[in-house]
Amino acid sequence: MTQPSSRPPNLLQPRLKAAPTFSSSILAATASTTPQVSRPSSRTREPDIQRPLPPTDTSDKATASFIRRVLCPHTHNTGDRNTTRPISEVLPPLTSSNDVDLQLYAIIAIVIKEFVYSWYAKITPDHVFVEEVVQMIAHCTRALEERLRGVDLEELLFDEIPELVERHII
């Protein structure tokens, strides 16, 4: 005969937040009573590969709408979506490509929404500070793009960077 265990329950095991549902308890009961037999498959199954979806016009519109809500709250839309001006007319250009600008402004909008508005909205409802930040970022990115146009990428990648890495390692 075995004696009941006098050990305290394991406090490190996670507790369930809710009781199991009817279907999950039936599945658990049947899974524990039926032995698992592995059978060779008659056909090979290709692994599920998740391919990224190509960007759509709808996602660009949603991105532009988010940017407009965060970075341009002072511009009021009339409600007609056909009359809204593109981001390139509302905000200063960051680079020479409007597609790159849209993605950069999306990143800037996320950062400002999450890390600036969280404290700045408590101080004042004014958006001048955010507008100035956007102007400074635009100035810096345009200057950076101009400097990058003057860089010889072939020399940088094949001569200067390997030399710096070699000096650092040795």
Side-chain angles (χ1 to χ4, degrees), residues 89-107:
E89 292 179 12
V90 178
L91 295 169
L94 297 175
T95 64
S96 58
S97 169
N98 286 340
D99 293 333
V100 174
D101 285 357
L102 183 69
Q103 301 306 317
L104 287 175
Y105 270 126
I107 293 170

Side-chain angles (χ1 to χ4, degrees), residues 59-114:
S59 67
D60 285 347
K61 286 182 182 178
T63 303
S65 175
F66 173 71
I67 293 167
R68 203 173 274 111
R69 273 193 326 267
V70 174
L71 298 180
C72 307
H74 59 280
T75 59
H76 298 289
N77 295 331
T78 60
D80 185 12
R81 292 179 183 255
N82 297 331
T83 61
T84 56
R85 297 185 331 193
I87 293 294
S88 59
E89 292 179 12
V90 178
L91 295 169
L94 297 175
T95 64
S96 58
S97 169
N98 286 340
D99 293 333
V100 174
D101 285 357
L102 183 69
Q103 301 306 317
L104 287 175
Y105 270 126
I107 293 170
I108 293 168
I110 291 170
V111 169
I112 287 179
K113 179 179 179 258
E114 296 295 322

Side-chain angles (χ1 to χ4, degrees), residues 42-64:
S42 60
R43 59 183 167 152
T44 58
R45 182 177 173 197
E46 293 182 21
D48 293 334
I49 299 174
Q50 294 181 354
R51 295 186 179 102
L53 297 174
T56 62
D57 189 39
T58 307
S59 67
D60 285 347
K61 286 182 182 178
T63 303

